[in-house]
Amino acid sequence: MDSENTHLWPREATSSDMVRLETWLAGHGWEVDPTVYMAGARGVAVQVRRIGADWADGEAGLLILPAETVAWDGRLMQIVPPGPVSALSRPGGTAPDRSGHRA
């Protein structure tokens, strides 16, 4: 499902998957937060944030769990809910992020 505006973070991601994610994020002005690392039974979760953002900026970033697809809406990164109908096809073209606010 990877495209210019979406990226699938795979289960049991490898170091080459991380490179692909970092490259895709950088193209949209985002980065993997190097201060957060979480591993679970299904693989590594990554926290992403705007490049140069600091937690003090009041922007928490986004946690991407294994097998989740993240979408860039032109401003924010958001998780695409699973299911046959993509949230990106909703009016306005964006999916709600986990905090519940819309872009």
Side-chain angles (χ1 to χ4, degrees):
M1 176 184 258
D2 291 6
S3 73
E4 183 179 327
N5 294 321
T6 61
H7 185 85
L8 172 64
W9 180 240
R11 286 190 172 115
E12 301 178 18
T14 65
S15 58
S16 62
D17 293 318
M18 179 63 80
V19 169
R20 278 193 295 279
L21 176 63
E22 289 173 335
T23 301
W24 182 80
L25 288 168
H28 298 298
W30 285 65
E31 66 186 351
V32 172
D33 183 344
T35 66
V36 178
Y37 177 84
M38 290 176 258
R42 294 176 44 184
V44 176
V46 292
Q47 178 81 17
V48 299
R49 64 184 184 186
R50 289 184 202 278
I51 292 175
D54 188 17
W55 299 124
D57 295 337
E59 187 171 337
L62 179 69
L63 178 65
I64 306 169
L65 302 176
E68 285 190 325
T69 298
V70 65
W72 165 249
D73 73 0
R75 192 171 72 86
L76 296 175
M77 293 289 170
Q78 302 175 38
I79 299 301
V80 176
V85 178
S86 170
L88 296 179
S89 64
R90 293 180 188 167
T94 61
D97 70 6
R98 284 201 180 99
S99 67
H101 71 273
R102 289 179 60 91

